[in-house]
Amino acid sequence: MASGHFEVKKFIMSESTWTPPKFGSPVWLGISAKDVARAEAFYTTVFNWTIKASPRKPEQSEIDAATRLVDWNPDVKLSGGIVPRPDGDNPTAQPPPGPGGVVLYWFVEDLTKTAETIERAGGKMIGSKEPIKEGDAGLYRFFEDTEGNVGAVYQLVSNKCG
């Protein structure tokens, strides 16, 4: 995710437009992976998930292009995928695999105001100081809660996928 990893939460499902959920709803589950193929094999074996390639091209976003999308039952109103963790210190990348390597992204109306609220509540914003662009669809940032758990907040900019 150098630029973000969700065209309206990772190229939301297979629809061409997306209706935003209620404020505060989980919208994306990111699973960090050092080896995306290995992680894909693991989750396919354990949970029998259907996983598909990202529609993004490397020139749009290297990380998005390398992400593998989980195609859950349509009744599950959550999208997500296995996201490569780039080497080095990249402030726009998902946190590393390991404890805290599964990141839930929460839909918010205003990323800046939510970041301020997180910090007032005792949490802290981590990674990029600026919102990370996710195609033309949205913006996101990572945060750490008061217990050290990592999450992300996501703001919709456009509901056009693709």
Side-chain angles (χ1 to χ4, degrees):
M1 137 254 283
S3 86
H5 54 249
F6 343 87
E7 179 87 301
V8 178
K9 280 335 353 105
K10 217 55 183 163
F11 336 105
I12 282 295
M13 300 181 219
S14 60
E15 303 171 16
S16 60
T17 60
W18 181 63
T19 303
K22 180 181 174 189
F23 172 77
S25 297
V27 291
W28 171 260
L29 178 75
I31 301 170
S32 277
K34 291 179 185 175
D35 182 328
V36 172
R38 180 178 62 203
E40 178 180 353
F42 172 82
Y43 284 101
T44 300
T45 300
V46 173
F47 297 118
N48 197 31
W49 287 353
T50 300
I51 298 177
K52 57 188 174 184
S54 164
R56 288 275 177 91
K57 305 287 185 251
E59 60 272 14
Q60 292 174 296
S61 168
E62 279 186 47
I63 293 172
D64 284 351
T67 294
R68 302 292 293 165
L69 305 175
V70 178
D71 189 13
W72 282 302
N73 177 321
D75 294 337
V76 176
K77 302 298 184 201
L78 179 70
S79 55
I82 300 168
V83 183
R85 170 64 174 150
D87 292 330
D89 184 23
N90 180 346
T92 65
Q94 177 158 310
V102 175
V103 177
L104 190 57
Y105 294 73
W106 301 93
F107 182 73
V108 299
E109 294 172 347
D110 186 312
L111 197 61
T112 302
K113 287 181 182 177
T114 302
E116 292 167 358
T117 301
I118 286 169
E119 291 180 341
R120 276 195 313 272
K124 64 181 179 179
M125 301 309 293
I126 59 175
S128 178
K129 301 290 183 207
E130 297 297 320
I132 304 163
K133 190 173 180 188
E134 186 256 316
D136 294 328
L139 304 168
Y140 66 96
R141 285 190 67 196
F142 296 106
F143 68 92
E144 185 176 300
D145 71 11
T146 58
E147 309 311 305
N149 298 306
V150 174
V153 287
Y154 178 86
Q155 176 185 329
L156 185 66
V157 175
S158 166
N159 67 345
K160 300 293 183 199
C161 295

